[in-house]
């Protein structure tokens, strides 16, 4: 996990990212605090990029992908930030050297096998529960458990919306190309479990939906691109979540799209572990706020029935009528309560902070971004949770006139011992000469 933030006003955008990365292992998790997550997307233009979530994409480190893209981009520039984001996505989609079809073919069965294992574990747990209660289980019961569990997962994916950029015939092409891999994964994971033809059809559909629908795994990566296009006066930001590239099709979706304009003068946008930033901005812990809202919603839904049950000498139809009216009143009261809380937060917490940010100079933007990431790191340090946010905080300020400026940056080497690194930074190569 990680904590990152973007703070923008009309002058500049400040980006800050911690350095922690969690490596999941069979014997537990290992946390390193020296990972780079913040980069210049172009050597020559005021555009930066941050990554969070998965540190690799298709087994290639994001740092390597970004620097290969940057070399390819060279001195090319675009009019808007959106064009930089679109060009980067096109690079991921079209590059066959970094992500050859042979590697895509390896990634596909690994991904569906992980999902199959989750389904099988659910089946095993239900079978164990049945055995524990009844001391035995019939084959028909096992078949029923298998069918119901697979159908449950099929229904979840069936109700999930399709990603807009995925072609309608993409699922069919996956089955045609990787059908044998699906069969092998089914045999390897489910082994002798009785799976009907209908259930296998559902599994096959799940396999294609994994790569075409708007449901992303915890191993997905977040990408944040921020800065200025060549024709833009004010900064903007766009972020994506990206999961995989299979059959030369990229699975991604846009998450955030923020633009500074004459009407919108400031933005504060946290990424990944964001609860401390939300608490600072809104004046209340979002989890605490949710507990209150959920409790009151449940209370107002049940309270009318309690009241009507305590009234004697009233027929059932009248009870139901009064209960319905009381529930409607409760919903109205709860909506008004929530609106008053939201108005209070906006008036006394959110708006004053946003107004202050709109006037901050560049150095203060950087200091605020670093402080908010530090806040999340400090919370992890003093709690019993794993310190999944930590290490040095890299901070960048991007402005129209000054470009991409490092305020704080860690190096794995001593800069004074490597002058050639800085001397070669702007050295032109074939990709730069356009």
């Amino acid at each position: 996990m990680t904590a990152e933030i973007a703070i923008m006003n009309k002058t500049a955008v400040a980006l800050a990212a911690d350095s922690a990365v969690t490596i999941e292992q069979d014997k537990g998790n290992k946390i390193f605090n020296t990972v780079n997550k913040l980069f210049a997307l172009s050597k020559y233009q005021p555009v930066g990029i941050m990554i969070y979530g998965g540190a690799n994409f298709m087994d290639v480190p994001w740092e390597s992908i970004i620097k290969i893209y940057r070399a390819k981009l060279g001195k090319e520039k675009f009019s808007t930030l959106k064009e930089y984001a679109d060009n980067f996505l096109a690079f991921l989609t079209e590059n066959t050297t970094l992500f050859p079809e042979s590697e895509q073919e390896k990634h596909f069965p690994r991904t569906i096998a992980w999902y199959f294992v989750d389904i099988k574990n659910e089946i095993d747990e239900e079978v164990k529960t049945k055995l524990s209660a009844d001391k035995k289980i019939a084959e028909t019961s096992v078949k029923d458990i298998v069918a119901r569990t697979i159908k449950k997962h099929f229904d979840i994916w069936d109700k999930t919306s399709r990603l807009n950029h995925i072609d309608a015939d993409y699922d069919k092409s996956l089955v045609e190309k990787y059908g044998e891999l699906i069969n092998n994964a089914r045999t390897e994971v489910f082994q002798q479990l009785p799976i009907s033809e209908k259930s296998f059809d559902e599994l096959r559909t799940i396999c294609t939906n994994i790569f075409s629908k708007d449901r992303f795994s915890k191993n997905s990566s977040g990408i944040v691109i921020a800065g200025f296009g060549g024709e833009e006066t004010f900064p903007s930001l766009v972020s994506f979540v990206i999961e995989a590239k299979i059959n030369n099709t990229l699975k991604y979706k846009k998450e955030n799209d923020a633009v500074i304009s004459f009407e919108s003068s400031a933005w504060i946008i946290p990424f990944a572990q964001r609860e401390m930033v939300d608490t600072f901005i809104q004046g209340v812990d979002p989890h605490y706020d949710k507990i209150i809202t959920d409790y009151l919603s449940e209370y107002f839904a049940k309270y009318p029935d309690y009241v009507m049950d305590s009234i004697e000498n009233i027929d059932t139809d009248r009870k139901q009528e009064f209960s319905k009216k009381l529930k409607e009143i409760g919903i109205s009261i709860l909506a008004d309560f929530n609106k008053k809380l939201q108005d209070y937060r906006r008036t006394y917490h959110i708006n004053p902070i946003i107004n202050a940010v709109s006037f901050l100079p560049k150095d203060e933007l950087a200091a605020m971004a670093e402080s908010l990431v530090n806040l999340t790191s400090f919370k992890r340090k003093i709690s019993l949770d794993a310190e999944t946010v930590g290490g040095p905080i890299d901070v960048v300020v991007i402005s129209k006139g000054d470009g991409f400026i490092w305020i704080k940056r860690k190096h794995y080497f001593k800069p004074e011992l490597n002058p050639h690194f800085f001397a070669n930074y702007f050295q032109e190569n074939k990709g730069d000469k356009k």
Side-chain angles (χ1 to χ4, degrees):
M1 293 296 288
T2 187
E4 298 178 356
I5 195 164
I7 304 178
M8 298 192 295
N9 62 19
K10 290 181 179 179
T11 302
V13 51
L15 305 175
D18 76 320
S19 302
V21 65
T22 304
I23 307 298
E24 295 184 0
Q25 300 175 322
D26 293 338
K27 296 182 180 180
N29 296 336
K30 178 71 175 178
I31 298 175
F32 295 97
N33 287 316
T34 55
V35 176
N36 294 317
K37 304 175 184 177
L38 179 52
F39 309 90
L41 189 63
S42 167
K43 289 184 178 181
Y44 304 95
Q45 303 303 323
V47 183
I49 183 170
M50 293 193 299
I51 59 171
Y52 62 92
N56 298 331
F57 176 65
M58 301 292 290
D59 292 331
V60 182
W62 274 113
E63 180 172 356
S64 299
I65 294 171
I66 291 167
K67 290 181 178 178
I68 291 170
Y69 169 79
R70 190 167 65 192
K72 178 181 180 297
L73 183 67
K75 292 184 177 179
E76 185 175 0
K77 62 180 180 180
F78 300 104
S79 299
T80 65
L81 185 87
K82 180 180 181 300
E83 291 176 86
Y84 281 101
D86 291 343
N87 187 259
F88 184 69
L89 291 175
F91 169 78
L92 297 178
T93 300
E94 297 165 6
N95 192 293
T96 56
T97 303
L98 285 171
F99 319 112
E101 290 197 25
S102 59
E103 290 304 311
Q104 296 177 46
E105 190 169 326
K106 293 176 184 177
H107 189 84
F108 180 86
R110 285 203 304 265
T111 302
I112 64 172
W114 291 335
Y115 200 87
F116 282 2
V117 167
D118 288 340
I119 296 175
K120 184 176 182 296
N121 288 340
E122 286 188 32
I123 294 170
D124 290 344
E125 284 300 315
E126 190 167 347
V127 169
K128 287 178 183 177
T129 302
K130 183 76 173 173
L131 282 171
S132 178
D134 301 341
K135 307 304 180 186
K136 62 180 180 178
I137 185 169
E139 184 178 348
T140 54
S141 295
V142 175
K143 288 181 179 179
D144 180 60
I145 291 172
V146 170
R148 279 191 290 103
T149 305
I150 293 174
K151 181 67 164 59
K152 183 187 78 172
H153 285 265
F154 172 82
D155 289 341
I156 292 171
W157 282 103
D158 189 54
K159 294 174 183 175
T160 303
S161 60
R162 189 177 183 82
L163 294 167
N164 294 330
H165 69 281
I166 302 290
D167 293 337
D169 61 350
Y170 177 68
D171 297 55
K172 181 180 177 182
S173 68
L174 282 185
V175 172
E176 291 174 352
K177 188 168 187 176
Y178 300 124
E180 189 60 33
L181 296 176
I182 297 174
N183 292 337
N184 294 340
R186 169 204 175 183
T187 302
E188 181 179 341
V189 175
F190 294 102
Q191 298 177 358
Q192 301 302 316
L193 280 175
I195 298 178
S196 67
E197 192 59 37
K198 179 184 176 184
S199 293
F200 184 47
D201 285 341
E202 291 171 345
L203 284 175
R204 192 182 290 113
T205 301
I206 288 171
C207 290
T208 60
N209 288 346
I210 287 173
F211 301 101
S212 64
K213 290 203 168 184
D214 188 4
R215 191 163 177 245
F216 288 74
S217 74
K218 66 178 182 178
N219 295 320
S220 300
S221 300
I223 300 294
V224 182
I225 298 176
F228 297 78
E231 302 298 324
E232 292 177 324
T233 303
F234 302 135
S236 57
L237 174 150
V238 61
S239 70
F240 300 89
V241 57
I242 301 178
E243 183 171 339
K245 178 181 175 181
I246 299 296
N247 201 16
N248 292 319
T249 298
L250 191 68
K251 181 182 178 181
Y252 72 92
K253 72 170 180 178
K254 183 183 289 186
E255 289 276 88
N256 285 292
D257 191 354
V259 178
I260 295 295
S261 64
F262 290 106
E263 292 75 28
S264 179
S265 59
W267 282 92
I268 302 173
I269 309 173
F271 300 94
Q273 298 187 51
R274 54 177 295 161
E275 70 276 5
M276 291 306 297
V277 177
D278 288 335
T279 301
F280 171 79
I281 295 172
Q282 299 190 31
V284 61
D285 185 330
H287 299 299
Y288 178 78
D289 185 50
K290 185 177 185 302
I291 287 174
I292 292 175
T293 303
D294 290 348
Y295 173 78
L296 289 177
S297 297
E298 184 179 354
Y299 180 81
F300 278 109
K302 292 180 178 180
Y303 183 71
D305 293 332
Y306 297 152
V307 172
M308 299 315 300
D309 288 342
S310 66
I311 300 176
E312 299 178 353
N313 301 322
I314 185 171
D315 61 72
T316 303
D317 290 340
R318 295 282 286 174
K319 276 188 175 183
Q320 291 178 349
E321 181 183 349
F322 286 142
S323 179
K324 181 180 178 182
K325 288 182 179 179
L326 287 173
K327 287 180 181 179
E328 290 173 353
I329 293 171
I331 291 172
S332 177
I333 292 172
L334 183 60
D336 184 61
F337 172 76
N338 287 332
K339 183 179 183 303
K340 281 183 168 55
L341 288 182
Q342 290 170 3
D343 290 344
Y344 181 89
R345 287 197 294 267
R346 185 159 295 279
T347 301
Y348 293 100
H349 291 277
I350 299 172
N351 287 345
I353 293 174
I354 293 298
N355 289 338
V357 168
S358 66
F359 296 106
L360 287 179
K362 287 175 280 192
D363 57 336
E364 294 294 339
L365 280 177
M368 182 177 181
E370 181 184 8
S371 296
L372 289 177
V373 174
N374 252 326
L375 189 62
T376 305
S377 176
F378 180 68
K379 173 64 181 301
R380 290 291 180 273
K381 187 181 294 290
I382 63 172
S383 71
L384 296 179
D385 299 330
E387 291 187 38
T388 52
V389 177
I393 296 174
D394 291 332
V395 185
V396 158
V397 171
I398 306 171
S399 62
K400 187 70 174 178
D402 298 334
F404 187 98
I405 301 296
W406 286 103
I407 306 300
K408 286 193 174 182
R409 185 187 188 187
K410 64 182 175 296
H411 285 290
Y412 66 90
F413 57 84
K414 291 184 177 181
E416 63 271 17
L417 298 181
N418 295 273
H420 62 281
F421 172 84
F422 300 96
N424 293 338
Y425 184 80
F426 287 104
Q427 181 177 335
E428 290 192 355
N429 54 35
K430 293 181 180 179
D432 293 330
K433 296 176 180 179
K434 295 185 179 180

